[in-house]
Amino acid sequence: MIPVERHQQILALVAERGVVSFAELTERLGVSHMTIRRDVQKLEEQGALLSVSGGVCAADRLAAEPSHLTKTTLYNAEKSAIGRYAARHIPRNSCIYLDAGTTTLALARELVERNDLLVVTNDFMVANLLMEASECRVIHTGGTVCRENRSCVGEGAARSLRHLAIDIAFISASCWGPRGLFTPDEDKVTVKQTVSEVSSKRVLLSDSSKYNKIATFMALPLTTFDSIVTDAQLSNAARSALGAGPWELVLAQ
């Protein structure tokens, strides 16, 4: 059986079952475990499916970024828990980066009593909150304005980050999984990649509803991060998969 035929059969099984183990794929297709692994890797690179602990599942693909208004109605308790945890672990006199998003906005709300931080952000809502309600110093990156997400993206935003030395970057995600962070918006990629390069520590802040979803563009591999802070609703399978990684995994509650 040639690779393209195996790929079709793998996709058909996943579509029928939802989740299929590597052992079953090996038996059904009559090939080695390594061959199945290579097939799955190829299909995963194409965004056709996702690896999970012990097998594969259909990819839940994000076609477009939800608007800021839509995101403010989703998973607010989980985002608040993530924000509270992250705020408690920011040393005094730090220079931090808050990526665009409602989870980082939840973190910003926990910082309004601080007067010792320099906060860099590409998010207008974060900048406005800290400008109005805190004594933190604030730098906005500028760049191309993304109206729906109330932020700046693209090379202009990335350029302003390149001359900075950031202690902790809190990076948000449209969707993420064992491979890394994904976004449907290519203009966000260069911003996330640049801030990861100029930061001493990188922390992923994302609620668990975004886990094991995929979009067109990979922004960062998951190995970029020193810590992943998500919520306690993360599935047991995801906890097992992520718990073996080189990062610290925190389930905020």
Side-chain angles (χ1 to χ4, degrees):
M1 187 183 299
I2 63 174
V4 67
E5 293 174 324
R6 288 198 308 273
H7 295 174
Q8 290 171 350
Q9 290 203 28
I10 291 169
L11 292 174
L13 279 169
V14 170
E16 178 185 341
R17 302 278 191 81
V19 179
V20 183
S21 70
F22 290 123
E24 181 176 357
L25 290 173
T26 299
E27 182 179 350
R28 290 285 294 267
L29 299 179
V31 294
S32 70
H33 188 80
M34 287 302 299
T35 297
I36 290 296
R37 286 282 188 179
R38 286 194 295 269
D39 288 341
V40 167
Q41 181 179 0
K42 186 68 174 179
L43 290 168
E44 195 169 18
E45 289 171 355
Q46 296 170 1
L49 49 72
L50 290 170
S51 296
V52 294
S53 181
V56 293
C57 69
D60 189 356
R61 178 173 287 274
L62 183 68
E65 182 78 22
S67 69
H68 174 83
L69 182 60
T70 297
K71 289 188 285 189
T72 59
T73 67
L74 302 173
Y75 305 101
N76 288 321
E78 290 81 0
K79 293 171 185 176
S80 295
I82 292 168
R84 284 194 300 272
Y85 176 88
R88 293 197 299 268
H89 293 80
I90 300 174
R92 287 191 59 79
N93 301 313
S94 295
C95 173
I96 65 172
Y97 174 78
L98 299 187
D99 204 8
T102 49
T103 307
T104 47
L105 181 59
L107 170 55
R109 293 192 183 102
E110 300 294 326
L111 303 179
V112 295
E113 301 298 325
R114 301 281 295 261
N115 62 6
D116 59 295
L117 300 175
L118 171 57
V119 181
V120 183
T121 186
N122 64 333
D123 189 297
F124 289 111
M125 305 303 290
V126 168
N128 187 65
L129 171 69
L130 295 176
M131 180 177 64
E132 296 291 339
S134 82
E135 295 183 26
C136 295
R137 295 168 61 202
V138 180
I139 296 175
H140 195 283
T141 63
T144 301
V145 174
C146 179
R147 288 183 174 86
E148 288 217 331
N149 282 288
R150 306 291 193 268
S151 64
C152 284
V153 296
E155 179 58 28
R159 189 183 307 117
S160 71
L161 292 167
R162 291 193 179 106
H163 71 282
L164 299 176
I166 293 169
D167 295 313
I168 310 174
F170 294 99
I171 299 175
S172 61
S174 304
C175 45
W176 61 288
R179 285 180 60 203
L181 269 63
F182 293 84
T183 174
D185 185 349
E186 188 174 15
D187 286 335
K188 291 186 175 184
V189 173
T190 186
V191 179
K192 293 182 190 294
Q193 290 179 345
T194 300
V195 77
S196 75
E197 292 166 3
V198 302
S199 300
S200 298
K201 183 177 182 179
R202 293 152 293 276
V203 180
L204 170 61
L205 298 185
S206 183
D207 69 80
S208 61
S209 73
K210 299 173 183 175
Y211 181 74
N212 244 358
K213 294 184 179 179
I214 197 169
T216 303
F217 303 100
M218 177 187 270
L220 292 167
L222 211 59
T223 50
T224 300
F225 294 95
D226 302 284
S227 299
I228 298 170
V229 185
T230 185
D231 60 77
Q233 303 306 312
L234 190 71
S235 70
N236 289 333
R239 295 183 193 196
S240 297
L242 295 172
W247 46 75
E248 175 192 25
L249 176 63
V250 175
L251 305 179
Q253 51 188 331

